[in-house]
Amino acid sequence: MKSRFILPALCLVFTLFLLHPLIAISPIQIKAWKAQSKRVNIIRDEYGVPHIYGKSDADAVFGLLYAQCEDDFMRVEMNYIEKLGRKAEVFGPMELANDLYLRLIISQEEAKQEYKTSPLWLKKLLHAYADGINYYLYKHPEIKPALLTHFEPWYPLLWTDGSIGAISTGSVNQSEVAKFYGLLGNKLSYIKKNPLDPEADLTGSNGFAVGPAKSKSGNSLFYINPHVTFYFRPEVHVNSEEGLNAYGAVTWGQIFVYQGFNPYGGWMHTSSQVDVADNYAETIRDGQKGKEYLLDGKWLPIKEQYITLRAKGQAPQIVHVYSNHRGPIMAERDGKWISVKSYNRSIKSLIQSWARTKTRSFEEFQKVMDMRSNTSNNTVYAGQHGRIAYWHGNFVPKRQPEIDWSMVQDGTKSSLDWKGLHPLKDIVQSIDPASAWIQNCNSTPFTVSGISSPKRAQYPVYMAPDAENFRDKNAFRLFSESSKLDLDDLIRIGYDRKLIAFEYLIPALVKAGEKINAGSNASFRLAIDTLKKWDYQARISSVAQTLAVQWGQKMLMKIPRKHLFGGEIDLIQSVEAYLASGKEEEMCQVLELVLQDLDKNWGTWQVAWGELNRLQRIGNQTEFSFDDAQPSFSVPFASSTWGMLPSYNSKVFPNTKKWYGVNGNSFICAVEFGPKIKAKSLLAGGQSGDIRSPHFFDQAKYYAEGKFKEVHFYVEDVLKHQKSAYHP
C-alpha cells in the first residue's frame, strides 16, 4: 500500500489538541490521595527493596506504584508510552512504524470499555494504579515526564501480562506494517531476526522446581531466573490485610508480581513458541461500499477506521487502516493482504495475572491457570505440600492438527479459523513427575522432567513447536546427575558455568586446526592448543573462552538453520549438520579472523574473558551507554546460546572495545517452601534507577560473583533490616 492512506491534519488548530494538557488536580483528589497514603507503609531494607504494606489490596497497589516511581519513573512511563503507541511523540518519526504496529493489535477503545465494565474489586486496583503514579508526580514536581503528565486507570488494560514484549503477530513485523501503510524508513523494534546480532533469538529464561523426593529437607524448592533486559524489572514485596503477600519481580508500571512467590507457592514464567497468533492471506476486491474480502465464496465488507499518529516535530498523520473478523490487516505478500489473528491483551488476562499472586494451594493455582488467558508464557510452579508442576503455554487455540501453522493460511476458508481453546488438561504439562524435578529453559517441553517428561507424539505440533537448545541440554544433564538438593545446591545448578555447546563445536575446530597446523602460523597453532586444553568452564581468566565465544558468534552467521515442522529453529540439529558437512577450512578461517580482530583491538589475541566481558552502569537510559574509561566489573558468564544457565549477553558498542552486558540474568531468586519460607535473591546491578542512590549499583559485585542475598519475607525480619520507613 502507498502513503495515500496517510492524510495530513487539516489545520493548525487540530495540532493544539496534540499537546498533552496539564491536568488540573482538585483539592478533593489531593485529600483522597493523602488519606490513602496514610493507609500504606513502605519499608526499605538494606538493598533498597520496598516492602509495601496496605490495609486493602488497592492500598497495596497504590504503594507499589508509588515505590516503583521512586525507583524508576522513567521506565514506568516509557512502558506505557510504548503500549499507548506514542513513542514517536518522544523520539520522533522514526518510531511511527512501531506506534502503528502496536495500535493495530492493542485496542485502546476495547481497554477503555473493559475498564468501564470491570468488576468493582478490579476497578479499585486500576484506580489505585493511576492514583499511586499521579500522587507521586504531584509530590515530585521536579520530575519532568517525557510525555505522560497524568496516568489513566484503564492503562493497565493495554498490557495485561508481565512479559517484556507480550506481542504476538505470527510472522508479521513492523517492517511489513510500515511498507503496507506507507511508513517507510522508520525504526523497527520488533523484528525477530537481526542478522547483526546472531545470538538475539537464542536467549531466554530458566525455571526450575524440585519436589520432596529430590529435596534434602523434603520441602519443595523453586528457582526463578528470567533473562530479560537489565533493569527491566525491580524486586518488590507487596502485602495487604486482604490476604496479599507476594514477593518477586514486577515489570515497571504493572500492578502484580509477575514472577515470584507467596507463603503457599511460587510461579515462574518462561517464553515459548506455542502458537498463539496466526496469519491469513486474504483475497480483496473493491466493492460498491468499500473493500471486501472473500470468505467461503461470499464477499464480506472489510472494516475500515482511522488511526491518528503523532510524531515529535511533525503534523499528525491519519492512517486509514483495515481489519476483518480475524483481526487487523498488517502486511501484503504476493498480492494478498495478510490478516493477523491474535490475543495480545484482555481483561481476563489481567485478572489471571493478579489472581495467581493470591492463590493458597496447588488446586487454587490450577484453577487460575484454567482461565487460559496467558498467551506469552509457560509456567513453572512449586509450592507447599510438595506440589510441583509445569504447563507449556496456557492460551492454546484449537486448530486442524495436520497443518503447519507457522505458514500463512488461506483466508478464504473459515474452516481454518480458531475453534475455541483447548482445555487446560489437554495442553502439554508435567504435574508432580516421578523424576521429582522440572526444568524449562525456553525449550521443548518434552525434556522438562527427564524420563517423566510428556511425550511429543501425544500432542499437535502447534502446541509445542519448540526445539531443544543447549541450555536445556545443560539443565537436563545437571538435574539427571544430581542427588538430593538443598537451596544452595539449586543455586549452584542455576549458576553452572559449563558452556556445553562448545563440547560440540571446539573438538571439531581443534581436529580441523591440527590437520592444517603444518601450514599455519605460530599464533594459530597456539590458539588451537589453548582451545584443546579448555574444559568449557566459564572463568574471567580464560583466554580459551574469549576465543571460543568470538569464534562461535562468527560461526553462527555461517551455520545454516534447520527448521522443525512448526517453523522453530533447531540450533542443535543445525550445529550437528554443519559439523558433519566437512567445512574444516571454513572453521579455521573464522578462527584466523578472530585472532586478527583481537590483535587489532587489544594488541594481542591472548585476552582473558574477564578483561573483555564487563558489567557497568553509568546512567539510567533505556538505551544503554558505556565507557571503557569508567569503572566496571569482570563477569565470567556468557550468552545462554552456548548453554550457559546464568545468561549474560554482552556486546561491543561503537565507542568501546570492551563488551558490556545488556540482558540476561536479571532478578534471580531461589525459594524453599517449608513451614517458613526461606529464600535468596539477586538483582543485576541494583534496585534504583537513580544514579545518586546507594542502590543504583550496590549488587553488581555480588551479581558478577553469583553471591545471593537473603530475602526478608516476614515482617519481623523486614523490621530488623529496615533502613527507612514512610507513608508514600
Side-chain angles (χ1 to χ4, degrees):
M1 304 302 295
K2 304 300 182 185
S3 59
R4 65 176 180 273
F5 292 121
I6 303 174
L7 307 177
L10 298 179
C11 63
L12 178 62
V13 174
F14 181 68
T15 65
L16 296 178
F17 290 98
L18 305 182
L19 300 176
H20 201 292
L22 289 173
I23 305 297
I25 304 173
S26 72
I28 294 175
Q29 178 66 82
I30 295 170
K31 183 178 180 181
W33 285 343
K34 290 182 176 179
Q36 188 162 28
S37 170
K38 291 179 181 178
R39 300 194 297 270
V40 179
N41 289 299
I42 300 174
I43 300 175
R44 298 272 183 173
D45 65 23
E46 70 270 40
Y47 291 99
V49 175
H51 302 261
I52 299 129
Y53 298 88
K55 291 193 71 65
S56 68
D57 285 352
D59 294 334
V61 168
F62 179 91
L64 173 63
L65 270 298
Y66 190 95
Q68 287 184 49
C69 290
E70 287 183 305
D71 285 336
D72 206 328
F73 172 78
M74 179 187 70
R75 280 180 166 78
V76 171
E77 181 191 18
M78 195 53 62
N79 280 343
Y80 284 97
I81 288 173
E82 180 179 28
K83 292 301 180 290
L84 285 161
R86 299 182 64 183
K87 287 183 74 174
E89 294 179 55
V90 178
F91 299 106
M94 67 179 183
E95 290 287 357
L96 281 170
N98 181 60
D99 287 351
L100 180 59
Y101 177 87
L102 288 169
R103 294 282 295 277
L104 286 170
I105 57 177
I106 298 179
S107 170
Q108 296 181 21
E109 287 66 35
E110 288 179 6
K112 291 174 184 178
Q113 186 59 36
E114 286 180 347
Y115 159 71
K116 290 178 183 178
T117 59
S118 61
L120 179 60
W121 69 266
L122 179 59
K123 194 167 285 187
K124 288 179 180 179
L125 301 185
L126 296 174
H127 276 275
Y129 151 87
D131 288 344
I133 300 174
N134 292 329
Y135 184 51
Y136 172 81
L137 291 174
Y138 164 74
K139 289 198 67 177
H140 295 83
E142 75 280 5
I143 298 297
K144 306 301 179 186
L147 181 67
L148 303 178
T149 59
H150 183 81
F151 284 70
E152 298 290 344
W154 55 269
Y155 284 2
L157 287 162
L158 299 171
W159 190 20
T160 51
D161 76 13
S163 294
I164 192 164
I167 301 298
S168 300
T169 56
S171 62
V172 175
N173 58 42
Q174 300 123 301
S175 170
E176 292 180 290
V177 171
K179 183 178 180 181
F180 186 80
Y181 287 112
L183 294 171
L184 299 178
N186 293 286
K187 185 176 180 179
L188 310 176
S189 307
Y190 279 104
I191 292 180
K192 289 186 176 181
K193 295 180 177 66
N194 178 0
L196 300 179
D197 187 3
E199 296 178 344
D201 290 342
L202 303 171
T203 59
S205 304
N206 305 329
F208 306 148
V210 175
K214 202 173 179 67
S215 167
K216 290 178 180 177
S217 65
N219 301 320
S220 59
L221 307 175
F222 193 52
Y223 193 74
I224 303 168
N225 185 202
H227 298 166
V228 296
T229 305
F230 290 163
Y231 321 121
F232 189 82
R233 292 193 181 107
E235 184 174 352
V236 301
H237 184 199
V238 57
N239 306 261
S240 82
E241 294 178 17
E242 292 182 335
L244 179 65
N245 183 5
Y247 194 107
V250 63
T251 305
W252 293 113
Q254 294 200 309
I255 66 173
F256 53 88
V257 172
Y258 175 57
Q259 292 167 321
F261 61 94
N262 63 28
Y264 311 100
W267 54 95
M268 164 65 200
H269 300 300
T270 62
S271 301
S272 75
Q273 300 301 318
V274 175
D275 188 350
V276 295
D278 290 318
N279 304 139
Y280 296 83
E282 308 288 356
T283 300
I284 306 295
R285 76 175 186 183
D286 290 317
Q288 291 183 347
K289 296 183 179 181
K291 299 287 185 183
E292 297 176 334
Y293 70 105
L294 185 63
L295 186 69
D296 296 335
K298 296 180 181 180
W299 290 97
L300 303 176
I302 285 272
K303 181 180 178 181
E304 303 183 30
Q305 64 183 113
Y306 296 92
I307 292 177
T308 300
L309 298 176
R310 304 173 176 107
K312 185 177 181 181
Q314 287 191 353
Q317 298 183 32
I318 303 174
V319 186
H320 189 181
V321 301
Y322 303 94
S323 61
N324 65 5
H325 75 286
R326 294 181 174 112
I329 305 298
M330 298 184 71
E332 183 175 5
R333 298 176 186 170
D334 300 323
K336 300 281 189 178
W337 286 13
I338 306 299
S339 64
V340 174
K341 177 68 175 175
S342 62
Y343 186 80
N344 282 299
R345 46 130 258 110
S346 77
I347 189 171
K348 192 175 180 182
S349 177
L350 182 60
I351 291 172
Q352 182 173 356
S353 296
W354 173 264
R356 77 168 67 94
T357 69
K358 297 190 72 173
T359 54
R360 299 167 64 92
S361 66
F362 171 77
E363 290 74 21
E364 285 188 17
F365 194 89
Q366 193 170 38
K367 186 175 180 180
V368 170
M369 289 293 296
D370 199 34
M371 293 178 70
R372 294 170 293 159
S373 290
N374 188 333
T375 61
S376 60
N377 298 133
N378 308 317
T379 302
V380 185
Y381 172 88
Q384 279 190 333
H385 312 301
R387 304 301 301 271
I388 64 173
Y390 173 80
W391 293 270
H392 197 72
N394 184 240
F395 174 95
V396 186
K398 291 181 180 178
R399 309 171 178 88
Q400 296 181 28
E402 71 278 3
I403 293 175
D404 184 350
W405 287 91
S406 68
M407 308 298 290
V408 176
Q409 304 302 320
D410 183 353
T412 67
K413 299 177 180 179
S414 64
S415 61
L416 296 176
D417 286 347
W418 294 354
K419 308 301 180 186
L421 298 180
H422 283 279
L424 183 67
K425 66 181 179 63
D426 288 350
I427 71 171
V428 187
Q429 57 197 271
S430 179
I431 297 177
D432 297 327
S435 64
W437 57 265
I438 287 168
Q439 64 81 24
N440 183 259
C441 302
N442 303 104
S443 183
T444 173
F446 305 119
T447 58
V448 293
S449 304
I451 60 173
S452 307
S453 301
K455 302 298 183 269
R456 186 185 298 272
Q458 297 176 0
Y459 301 93
V461 171
Y462 61 73
M463 276 192 179
D466 313 65
E468 193 174 18
N469 60 40
F470 286 113
R471 267 184 302 132
D472 171 81
K473 273 196 170 297
N474 205 11
F476 187 100
R477 171 185 67 86
L478 289 163
F479 279 103
S480 297
E481 294 175 354
S482 64
S483 54
K484 291 194 174 186
L485 306 169
D486 61 18
L487 207 58
D488 291 331
D489 296 326
L490 187 61
I491 289 173
R492 277 192 288 273
I493 286 177
Y495 264 73
D496 183 79
R497 298 187 181 190
K498 189 168 190 178
L499 300 171
I500 197 170
F502 291 117
E503 282 191 327
Y504 291 66
L505 290 160
I506 295 304
L509 172 61
V510 169
K511 181 180 178 181
E514 289 180 336
K515 185 181 292 186
I516 67 167
N517 257 348
S520 60
N521 60 49
S523 292
F524 180 87
R525 292 195 297 271
L526 184 54
I528 288 292
D529 188 56
T530 300
L531 289 166
K532 185 177 182 178
K533 295 175 181 176
W534 187 36
D535 61 1
Y536 313 119
Q537 293 290 327
R539 299 182 182 88
I540 60 174
S541 61
S542 177
V543 172
Q545 186 174 343
T546 301
L547 294 174
V549 171
Q550 294 214 11
W551 176 79
Q553 285 188 336
K554 291 181 184 295
M555 289 305 302
L556 283 180
M557 305 288 286
K558 297 181 178 295
I559 295 174
R561 302 299 170 86
K562 281 189 166 293
H563 292 262
L564 301 175
F565 184 77
E568 176 72 354
I569 292 173
D570 191 313
L571 181 62
I572 294 177
Q573 286 190 23
S574 301
V575 166
E576 289 174 337
Y578 180 84
L579 295 179
S581 67
K583 295 189 177 181
E584 296 176 331
E585 185 175 347
E586 182 176 66
M587 289 190 287
C588 293
Q589 288 171 347
V590 170
L591 181 59
E592 289 278 14
L593 289 175
V594 168
L595 297 176
Q596 291 170 18
D597 288 347
L598 287 168
D599 272 327
K600 178 182 177 182
N601 294 325
W602 294 84
T604 175
W605 61 265
Q606 294 177 308
V607 180
W609 178 247
E611 189 175 353
L612 174 93
N613 194 51
R614 313 293 292 187
L615 175 65
Q616 186 181 78
R617 192 181 191 188
I618 57 176
N620 192 36
Q621 304 88 351
T622 52
E623 297 291 333
F624 291 106
S625 63
F626 300 99
D627 186 347
D628 285 344
Q630 298 298 317
S632 60
F633 289 91
S634 296
V635 178
F637 316 122
S639 168
S640 63
T641 301
W642 315 116
M644 171 68 76
L645 293 179
S647 174
Y648 188 82
N649 277 6
S650 59
K651 60 183 180 179
V652 68
F653 286 78
N655 61 328
T656 72
K657 70 174 184 177
K658 296 177 183 179
W659 293 10
Y660 294 96
V662 294
N663 64 60
N665 274 16
S666 49
F667 168 76
I668 317 107
C669 189
V671 189
E672 180 174 350
F673 292 99
K676 289 192 70 175
I677 293 291
K678 179 182 178 183
K680 298 181 179 182
S681 69
L682 191 57
L683 271 181
Q687 175 75 20
S688 176
D690 184 350
I691 195 169
R692 299 163 298 180
S693 168
H695 307 302
F696 181 72
F697 209 45
D698 58 334
Q699 295 184 54
K701 187 173 186 294
Y702 300 133
Y703 179 89
E705 297 172 355
K707 294 182 179 178
F708 284 51
K709 64 185 187 293
E710 296 288 335
V711 164
H712 311 311
F713 187 69
Y714 297 98
V715 66
E716 57 268 26
D717 296 321
V718 173
L719 293 174
K720 287 178 185 176
H721 296 273
Q722 170 185 315
K723 293 300 178 183
S724 64
Y726 54 95
H727 300 298

